[in-house]
Amino acid sequence: MDNTHMSIEEMIDAYGDELLRLCTLYLGDRQLAEDAFQTAVIKAWRHLNTFRGESSLKTWLFRIGVNVCRDTLRSGWFRLRRRCEPLDALALSQSAPQSEAAGEVTQAVLALPGKYREVIVLYYYEDMKIREIAATLHLPANSVSTRLRRARALLGEALKGEIEA
């Protein structure tokens, strides 16, 4: 099916769960993630006619989602708002229950600086390839690889402290 003729329901059926998970991991708050998800879907739907097909529809939609999340994090309102949900309550996968170790990993991922968190989320939780992440974030593939390597090192240090404690 031609992506420009995709209904909003088809777009949500195809990519909705992954986009909501991306927003949740990016923002660390389920309510904010739902708002960001809704905003991203509406923006994508309004601008679907501008989709040029230079990337996959998923990559294009995730780019919109990442931008909405970035805008949310930059807003003064976000900085004043308290988080409504504990970080360990975030579900990374609907199919697998979250173990204590997975909760620690989630907290470590959410504690990463934004530029590292976003590559970890896209690579590990959304199963995107480096070139897809590069297209989503408008970065060179080498920059994505470097950020991924640094993020892994930061996660290793953070989790090493948890294991030894």
Side-chain angles (χ1 to χ4, degrees):
M1 171 180 270
D2 181 6
N3 288 328
T4 58
H5 293 98
M6 181 179 270
S7 73
I8 195 164
E9 292 86 7
E10 291 169 325
M11 187 185 301
I12 291 171
D13 284 345
Y15 308 112
D17 290 342
E18 293 173 88
L19 180 61
L20 180 58
R21 183 173 56 214
L22 169 71
C23 293
T24 303
L25 287 166
Y26 203 101
L27 297 171
D29 181 288
R30 182 64 180 214
Q31 290 176 344
L32 284 176
E34 289 171 355
D35 290 345
F37 167 82
Q38 185 176 27
T39 301
V41 169
I42 290 168
K43 283 185 176 190
W45 180 245
R46 285 185 179 151
H47 299 286
L48 191 57
N49 62 337
T50 66
F51 176 66
R52 297 184 303 242
E54 294 173 359
S55 64
S56 71
L57 184 64
K58 177 182 174 180
T59 299
W60 181 75
L61 180 61
F62 277 35
R63 174 68 184 165
I64 293 170
V66 165
N67 285 337
V68 169
C69 289
R70 284 178 176 170
D71 291 346
T72 299
L73 291 175
R74 283 187 210 120
S75 73
W77 175 85
F78 175 78
R79 290 183 210 138
L80 296 175
R81 186 180 179 281
R82 285 186 15 215
R83 297 202 184 255
C84 297
E85 192 171 333
L87 296 179
D88 58 358
L90 296 174
L92 299 180
S93 170
Q94 295 175 340
S95 60
Q98 187 144 340
S99 67
E100 186 176 328
E104 290 173 5
V105 171
T106 301
Q107 288 182 351
V109 168
L110 291 170
L112 289 172
K115 67 182 185 179
Y116 299 127
R117 181 177 56 241
E118 65 191 8
V119 295
I120 290 290
V121 168
L122 293 171
Y123 188 81
Y124 288 105
Y125 297 105
E126 300 304 333
D127 294 323
M128 294 178 79
K129 304 212 179 317
I130 288 177
R131 63 179 166 69
E132 292 174 313
I133 297 169
T136 299
L137 301 178
H138 291 274
L139 292 170
N142 286 341
S143 296
V144 172
S145 295
T146 299
R147 286 184 184 185
L148 196 53
R149 187 174 57 254
R150 289 179 181 160
R152 287 176 184 142
L154 289 170
L155 280 174
E157 287 298 314
L159 293 172
K160 181 180 178 187
E162 291 292 321
I163 293 170
E164 292 173 0

